[in-house]
Structure formats: C-alpha cells, structure tokens
C-alpha cells in the first residue's frame, strides 16, 4: 500500500495568495483528518470527514480555510487568502475505524507551508 | 485544544537505558494511543490501549493506563539511537466526538 499521499511537500507563497493542499488517503479507509502542526500550538485537528462527509470542522481557524472531499480518494485543504500566521506543517491522516473507539490513524508526510 | 499533556517535554538518555514518558488527560476516554514522529516526517502509530485495559506490550514498548488518575505512561526499554523522535499521546474522548486529540509531545534523544 502506498500510504497517505500529500502534495506539495513544501510550499512557499506570499501573503494574500491562495494555497491548495492535496491528500490521497489509503484505499479502503473511510475517514480522513486534516491536522496542523506548529511549535507553539502542537497538533491541532482542523476538520475530519467520514464517508466523504465533513463531520467536525470546529477546528478550522476561520473562513479563509475550507476543505473538501469530493470522493473517497481525494481531499483538498484550501487557504484563501493566506497569511504569515498560517505557516505550519499540514498533515492529512486516514483511518478505517472512526467512532466511539476511533482506531489507528495513518499519517502522510505533511505539507510544509511558509507564507511570507 | 490539547486533551493530553506529555511529561517531560524533553528527555535525553544513553543508549541501552529505559525511557519513560507520561501523559495526563482531562476527560474520560474510550481509548488512548501513542504515536512517534521522526524529525520532518509524519506521525506513526505505536500502540492503542482501551479504557478497560491497564497495560499493553508491543516489542520493547510497554504502555500503562490509569483511568482513575487520568494518566498513561509509555516505557521504551533498552533504547537505541534510532528511537530518537518525538512521542505523542492522543485520546478519543468518551461520549464525545470520534476525533483524536493530541498532546504536545515528548522529544526523546537517545545518545549513542
């Protein structure tokens, strides 16, 4: 299995530009999570999907952030317009089991975003 | 916001020694998981312990869970330089949503 695939691995952009991060979960996994990692705040859950439906987006910082999952094999996280404080590593993770006993999450290698 | 808090924030030991990391959490949980992250990489799942379990082993890893104290510990025995990484605990809250909430991690350095 190829694992969770994220792109791009690195992105440097200027404030105000649109950023789109992409994720391909592991085939057969029905849940997908987007996390953001910074030194100050650690790992924060932004949003997660179950069977392509957004279940909890309470962690999305503000309206500049949006996420979609048009099908079981693809998700995007978009930031428009981007700001320097959005600089972080964004992780996508997928799981087979989500529920009262959410199981193991499989993480991608992350997308390191730098907003100048 | 973080549910779990790892302690210590950083730990430096010699190869061959044991490493113990602790995690405390605030609300009742369904399960607790430990993950490892090598520098610049994604997180990798190590072990899951359910709320009705007290101890679990996997190779050189031993995890304990004390629900009365709302705490867990991860013990790595006979550490190796390759164990150098950050270790995170994550919890699934009982009666809450299905999401996994992570602590800020313990940075472990194993010196050869």
């Amino acid at each position: 299995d190829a694992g969770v695939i994220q792109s791009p691995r690195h992105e440097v952009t200027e404030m105000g530009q649109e950023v789109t991060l992409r994720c391909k979960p592991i085939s057969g996994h029905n849940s997908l999570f987007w996390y953001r990692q910074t030194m100050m705040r650690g790992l924060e859950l932004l949003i997660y999907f179950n069977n392509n439906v957004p279940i909890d987006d309470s962690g999305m910082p503000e309206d500049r952030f949006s996420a979609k999952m048009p099908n079981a094999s693809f998700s995007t996280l978009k930031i428009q317009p981007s700001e320097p404080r959005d600089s972080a590593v964004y992780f996508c993770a997928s799981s087979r089991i989500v529920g009262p006993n959410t199981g193991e999450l499989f993480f991608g290698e992350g997308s390191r975003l730098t907003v100048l | 916001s973080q549910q779990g808090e790892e302690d210590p924030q950083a730990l430096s030991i010699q190869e061959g020694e044991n490493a113990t990391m602790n995690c405390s959490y605030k609300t009742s949980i369904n399960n607790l998981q430990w993950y490892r992250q090598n520098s610049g990489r994604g997180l990798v799942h190590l072990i899951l312990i359910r709320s009705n379990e007290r101890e679990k082993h996997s190779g050189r890893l031993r995890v304990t869970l004390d629900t009365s104290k709302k705490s867990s510990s991860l013990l790595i025995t006979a550490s190796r330089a390759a164990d150098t990484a950050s270790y995170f605990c994550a919890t699934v809250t009982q009666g809450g949503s299905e999401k996994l909430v992570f602590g800020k991690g313990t940075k472990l350095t194993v010196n050869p």
Side-chain angles (χ1 to χ4, degrees):
Chain A
D1 203 322
V4 175
I5 299 172
Q6 292 187 246
S7 65
R9 289 295 313 277
H10 302 273
E11 172 106 5
V12 180
T13 190
E14 292 189 346
M15 185 173 65
Q17 296 298 305
E18 178 179 295
V19 173
T20 300
L21 308 178
R22 298 173 176 79
C23 176
K24 177 178 167 54
I26 293 173
S27 177
H29 285 192
N30 61 351
S31 295
L32 183 141
F33 301 75
W34 282 100
Y35 285 88
R36 177 172 70 175
Q37 186 176 39
T38 61
M39 289 293 293
M40 289 295 293
R41 299 173 68 90
L43 264 164
E44 302 173 278
L45 177 65
L46 300 177
I47 185 171
Y48 79 93
F49 296 83
N50 199 19
N51 293 320
N52 311 338
V53 176
I55 302 300
D56 186 337
D57 65 354
S58 59
M60 296 285 261
E62 48 199 273
D63 291 346
R64 297 184 297 106
F65 285 69
S66 63
K68 293 182 180 179
M69 191 163 186
N71 56 62
S73 59
F74 184 66
S75 177
T76 59
L77 178 68
K78 189 173 290 188
I79 308 172
Q80 166 63 16
S82 58
E83 296 181 3
R85 59 191 167 123
D86 302 330
S87 297
V89 182
Y90 291 80
F91 286 102
C92 174
S94 69
S95 177
R96 275 191 305 116
I97 303 170
V98 170
N101 268 297
T102 292
E104 175 183 358
L105 263 57
F106 293 79
F107 280 79
E109 295 288 13
S111 293
R112 180 176 292 276
L113 173 65
T114 302
V115 183
L116 303 174
Chain B
S1 61
Q2 268 72 36
Q3 155 79 315
E5 291 288 336
E6 289 89 343
D7 169 58
Q9 290 187 358
L11 179 62
S12 182
I13 60 174
Q14 296 300 122
E15 217 167 17
E17 293 180 342
N18 295 341
T20 299
M21 288 158 272
N22 303 297
C23 169
S24 59
Y25 55 92
K26 299 187 178 88
T27 58
S28 296
I29 59 169
N30 283 330
N31 72 56
L32 185 145
Q33 303 180 28
W34 285 92
Y35 287 77
R36 163 194 168 127
Q37 184 181 32
N38 286 65
S39 180
R41 307 294 300 273
L43 281 77
V44 175
H45 181 266
L46 295 175
I47 200 162
L48 180 154
I49 186 165
R50 301 192 191 285
S51 59
N52 61 353
E53 298 175 312
R54 292 296 167 258
E55 190 169 309
K56 213 160 180 183
H57 297 255
S58 176
R60 293 184 296 112
L61 305 181
R62 173 179 165 242
V63 168
T64 61
L65 180 64
D66 187 335
T67 52
S68 66
K69 295 181 180 176
K70 292 187 170 58
S71 68
S72 173
S73 67
L74 170 68
L75 169 67
I76 304 174
T77 59
S79 63
R80 306 166 182 167
D83 294 328
T84 294
S86 291
Y87 292 82
F88 296 85
C89 70
T91 54
V92 178
T93 303
Q94 190 177 78
S97 75
E98 308 136 330
K99 58 191 180 185
L100 202 58
V101 180
F102 285 81
K104 287 196 172 181
T106 292
K107 189 174 173 64
L108 172 67
T109 302
V110 182
N111 301 298

